Amino acid sequence: MVARLLDSEPEEAYQYSRVALRLASRVAAVREAAGFASYVTQRYSEALTEFRAARRMTGRVDLWPVMADCERGLGRPERALAMAGEPEVKQLDKAGQVEMRLVAAGARGDMEQFDAAVVTLQSPELASSAVHSWTARLRYAYAEALIAAGRGEEARDWFAKAAEADTDGTTNAAERLAEIDGVEFVDALDPELADEESEPAVAEPAKRKGGEASDEDVIFEDDEDVEEFYDEDDLEIDEDFDGVVPERAPAAEEAKKDDESDK
């Protein structure tokens, strides 16, 4: 259960490791699993205790780099650097030696020795064009060290090399490279973005220079609105009107009746 949950639910994996320790604390695999559960959840003191116990039980040195990284997590980078110079490092395989180099460079960075961190990562493994499981992480760490040392132009090239080697997506080298180049990625499958693009634009009424709607845009709801809009004083008066209303044509009479019935 610890192995199954370590990446997705690290806190739950840690709780399982505590149970395993109560049941079988003298089993090396249990101590190692508990160490990784503590390490992933940043309980570095507990992790270091478990890793040391597992190493005593098995005599193996493959946990040496992660033990050194625990020292970094505890705020003791100088101890991590001291471990990088111990004889145990020579017993590590190539992947373990690269991991130890990464930890040592990180310790240099913790101590703000940025140029020294760059030098620490310069190695035949870094210069090799062959791609291994650790190649992307090594190149990425080197690019980060260059950034910290103020060598941004060189860092851009190494982020590109890290992205090229990172086929499994273990780093965010591609994102860092895009950030340097000023490229912004948009998720075309984002439903919220699709809703925004499909939302129709709402047309606003035409405005006059003064900010008011034009007369053509005014809608009268009923006759009262019409009466308010037209003032009686504004009506044209015929001075020669003799009081006699001329006869209307039949069509005009019908139109008048319709108007009165509507009222």
Side-chain angles (χ1 to χ4, degrees):
M1 290 305 297
V2 172
R4 180 182 299 179
L5 297 171
L6 196 60
D7 293 332
S8 58
E9 301 289 341
E11 191 63 36
E12 189 172 353
Y14 172 78
Q15 298 302 328
Y16 272 106
S17 73
R18 295 296 98 184
V19 176
L21 280 175
R22 289 198 299 269
L23 297 175
S25 60
R26 295 185 180 183
V27 177
V30 171
R31 305 302 292 267
E32 183 175 339
F36 277 110
S38 299
Y39 176 77
V40 171
T41 55
Q42 299 183 4
R43 296 175 170 90
Y44 297 114
S45 181
E46 292 182 18
L48 190 56
T49 298
E50 301 305 329
F51 288 142
R52 285 172 175 169
R55 181 170 176 269
R56 285 195 304 268
M57 293 176 179
T58 62
R60 291 162 32 210
V61 297
D62 55 310
L63 294 174
W64 196 254
V66 70
M67 290 169 61
D69 205 39
C70 287
E71 295 287 2
R72 286 186 58 209
L74 292 169
R76 303 191 292 243
E78 66 284 350
R79 292 193 183 183
L81 285 176
M83 292 180 66
E86 294 292 335
E88 284 82 355
V89 177
K90 296 181 179 180
Q91 302 177 36
L92 296 171
D93 59 10
K94 182 63 65 178
Q97 291 178 3
V98 170
E99 193 67 33
M100 193 70 241
R101 193 177 291 274
L102 291 171
V103 173
R108 291 289 187 187
D110 295 341
M111 300 168 68
E112 298 186 356
Q113 300 175 0
F114 304 119
D115 291 329
V118 171
V119 174
T120 299
L121 293 171
Q122 292 173 346
S123 61
E125 292 81 13
L126 180 67
S128 175
S129 59
V131 176
H132 302 278
S133 59
W134 37 260
T135 300
R137 294 179 59 243
L138 179 59
R139 293 176 179 178
Y140 183 89
Y142 188 61
E144 288 280 20
L146 289 170
I147 288 284
R151 296 160 63 176
E153 293 183 1
E154 296 177 65
R156 193 262 176 214
D157 294 336
W158 282 100
F159 276 127
K161 292 179 180 179
E164 181 182 357
D166 192 5
T167 57
D168 297 330
T170 56
T171 71
N172 65 336
E175 288 80 358
R176 293 299 305 276
L177 180 62
E179 181 182 344
I180 293 174
D181 292 342
V183 178
E184 182 178 356
F185 291 100
V186 177
D187 187 359
L189 300 180
D190 188 350
E192 295 183 1
L193 181 63
D195 292 341
E196 292 178 2
E197 293 179 349
S198 62
E199 183 176 348
V202 178
E204 295 184 359
K207 301 292 183 179
R208 291 181 177 178
K209 290 184 178 180
E212 297 180 356
S214 64
D215 293 343
E216 297 176 356
D217 297 318
V218 177
I219 300 176
F220 300 104
E221 298 295 338
D222 50 36
D223 293 342
E224 293 180 358
D225 293 335
V226 178
E227 293 174 359
E228 291 178 1
F229 184 79
Y230 292 103
D231 194 296
E232 292 181 356
D233 296 337
D234 295 335
L235 298 178
E236 185 177 351
I237 301 176
D238 187 357
E239 299 292 344
D240 299 328
F241 179 61
D242 57 3
V244 180
V245 179
E247 294 185 1
R248 298 175 179 269
E253 286 292 331
E254 292 296 327
K256 180 181 178 183
K257 291 179 180 180
D258 292 341
D259 293 339
E260 292 177 352
S261 63
D262 291 339
K263 292 181 180 179

